[in-house]
Amino acid sequence: MGRIFSGIQPTNRLHLGNYLGALKNWVTMQRTTEHDCIFCVVDLHAITVPQDPAQLAQSTREMAAAYIAAGIDPVKSIVFPQSAVPEHSQLMWLLSTITQIGKLDRMTQFKDKAGKNAEKTGLGLYAYPVLMAADILLYKATHVPVGEDQKQHVELAREIVGTFTHRFGELFPEPEPIIRAQGARIMSLRDGSAKMSKSAESDMSRINMTDDADLIAQKFKKAKTDADSVPSSVEEWEGRPEAKNLLTIYAELAEEPMETVFRQFGGQQFSALKTALADLAVEKLAPISQEMNRLMNDVTEIDRILKDGAQRAREIATPVLKDVQDRMGFLRL
Ligand code: TYM
């Protein structure tokens, strides 16, 4: 039996990129797979950039509520906050000693996030792919459903498995990134060459899961497009990243093949596509955000779910960490 592991950082709000690139896919996998599923709210990752301590706990609950509202069943799957299972940090340290700096230097997300300020950035942001490898390995996960931007980090985790196996013998399977052919890289509504992200300055660049209908309509209306009409084939969207992005979002939300979407909107003005997109996004996202709000009214229940998830996660993690410690030769008292 395999095991599926993934996580989202509880920073700001969940956006459409996280939903289409990751969460929606998790829900499908949970429904169709024979494997165990573990979905973590990665709060230890969140603090690699400054977080307001007064907000972090609430953001963690909110992200858990988003998972559940989107369709993750916390009985069937394990849902828990990363910080509640200390083995994540412990394993990270052990793995950091076998991870070459040269490999971390190649991580494009660090370069993007640190920008010109790399010298002043915290060590955590640099070392974060090792923590992510620890997350995956701690559960001997075999499949890791993520968006395109996390592929390099999952590949690093595979390399760490290789090094570990070479030095200490076989213990971990090589985790496989599960990245969808379409929707794994949703772009900013303001710039088709930048991915939709939580950290982008303009809120108009992303659709947040909690945006109301008016705001969603406004964001799509103002989304950047080009002067041509809507493309009606893959050939026609070449070199038109904004048009490609809007059509991709539509197809993903509607769960329709791209051919159908081309037939529906190809050759029309962008305004028709934008109006339809806004209606569709509201139809699909409003029930999720309403359910999130309902869940957030009962914080005690969310905390109970997370505590239960953490206990179940620890039952898997504790023996794996012990095994690693034994392989590395630590004194057991
Ligand atoms: P995070 O929190 O940045 O993003 C969560 C998930 O959303 C996907 N994603 C996108 N997909 C499509 N289009 C976009 N514009 C877009 N933006 C984000 C991400 O690829 C991701 O799947 N390090 C991870 C979290 C993590 C993790 C793990 C994931 C920590 N440990 C172990 C898998 C396994 C992160 O920061 O994701």
Side-chain angles (χ1 to χ4, degrees), residues 32-63:
T32 54
T33 189
E34 297 280 297
H35 305 322
D36 304 340
C37 296
I38 306 182
F39 300 115
C40 183
V41 180
V42 290
D43 50 0
L44 296 173
H45 276 88
I47 61 163
T48 56
V49 295
Q51 299 296 326
D52 177 0
Q55 273 295 315
L56 185 62
Q58 195 67 355
S59 304
T60 301
R61 290 187 182 111
E62 251 177 47
M63 190 54 71

Side-chain angles (χ1 to χ4, degrees), residues 2 42-43 49 75 78-79 83 100 154 172 182 184 188 191 195 207 211 232 246 269 281 293 319 324 331:
V42 290
D43 50 0
V49 295
V75 175
I78 297 179
V79 176
S83 60
Q100 290 166 6
V154 182
F172 300 114
Q182 182 178 284
S188 155
D191 173 3
K195 70 170 186 185
I207 303 287
D211 288 346
S232 46
L246 292 183
Q269 297 298 306
N293 287 337
V324 176
L331 175 66

Side-chain angles (χ1 to χ4, degrees), residues 1-290:
M1 270 276 278
R3 188 173 277 142
I4 293 167
F5 183 97
S6 200
I8 302 179
Q9 298 190 36
T11 39
N12 300 328
R13 296 259 143 77
L14 192 74
H15 59 69
L16 195 59
N18 301 134
Y19 178 64
L20 294 178
L23 187 48
K24 186 163 174 274
N25 196 19
W26 301 355
V27 176
T28 312
M29 289 181 90
Q30 176 193 250
R31 193 175 57 235
T32 54
T33 189
E34 297 280 297
H35 305 322
D36 304 340
C37 296
I38 306 182
F39 300 115
C40 183
V41 180
V42 290
D43 50 0
L44 296 173
H45 276 88
I47 61 163
T48 56
V49 295
Q51 299 296 326
D52 177 0
Q55 273 295 315
L56 185 62
Q58 195 67 355
S59 304
T60 301
R61 290 187 182 111
E62 251 177 47
M63 190 54 71
Y67 289 8
I68 297 165
I72 297 299
D73 172 355
V75 175
K76 191 168 180 199
S77 300
I78 297 179
V79 176
F80 74 105
Q82 190 182 25
S83 60
V85 179
E87 285 80 2
H88 287 254
S89 316
Q90 290 175 277
L91 182 60
M92 181 213 172
W93 176 255
L94 303 180
L95 297 181
S96 78
T97 64
I98 61 164
T99 308
Q100 290 166 6
I101 286 178
K103 289 193 172 150
L104 290 176
D105 281 340
R106 288 205 289 273
M107 297 294 120
T108 55
Q109 193 174 69
F110 176 75
K111 289 181 201 158
D112 289 349
K113 283 197 177 175
K116 293 195 185 76
N117 274 327
E119 290 285 318
K120 295 203 172 113
T121 316
L123 173 62
L125 189 66
Y126 182 68
Y128 133 147
V130 188
L131 178 60
M132 182 161 158
D135 299 340
I136 298 167
L137 271 50
L138 197 51
Y139 303 95
K140 298 188 177 176
T142 50
H143 299 84
V144 183
V146 283
E148 183 67 43
D149 63 340
Q150 295 298 326
K151 185 173 177 204
Q152 200 184 27
H153 296 157
V154 182
E155 271 160 10
L156 179 73
R158 291 167 67 91
E159 290 178 27
I160 293 175
V161 169
T163 310
F164 186 91
T165 308
H166 181 70
R167 300 251 323 249
F168 307 107
E170 205 170 318
L171 179 62
F172 300 114
E174 276 196 356
E176 193 188 322
I178 307 290
I179 297 167
R180 304 185 55 233
Q182 182 178 284
R185 192 170 172 80
I186 299 296
M187 309 311 277
S188 155
L189 299 182
R190 300 304 251 179
D191 173 3
S193 67
K195 70 170 186 185
M196 185 178 285
S197 83
K198 295 173 202 166
S199 50
E201 260 163 47
S202 168
D203 192 55
M204 294 301 282
S205 70
R206 61 184 162 254
I207 303 287
N208 302 304
M209 300 295 286
T210 47
D211 288 346
D212 64 26
D214 286 347
L215 192 54
I216 290 178
Q218 203 188 341
K219 285 178 175 179
F220 278 122
K221 198 168 165 201
K222 295 219 166 127
K224 187 178 165 197
T225 46
D226 50 45
D228 262 334
S229 54
V230 177
S232 46
S233 67
V234 171
E235 292 73 38
E236 276 183 30
W237 77 20
E238 265 319 297
R240 302 175 65 191
E242 286 84 11
K244 178 180 176 184
N245 191 41
L246 292 183
L247 287 166
T248 305
I249 294 175
Y250 191 93
E252 283 298 306
L253 281 174
E255 299 182 32
E256 274 172 12
M258 197 53 84
E259 277 313 309
T260 315
V261 181
F262 282 139
R263 241 179 284 123
Q264 200 174 341
F265 297 104
Q268 294 190 44
Q269 297 298 306
F270 274 103
S271 55
L273 172 61
K274 287 175 164 187
T275 309
L277 252 177
D279 291 346
L280 180 63
V282 171
E283 181 194 319
K284 298 286 176 175
L285 303 187
I288 301 177
S289 80
Q290 275 161 19

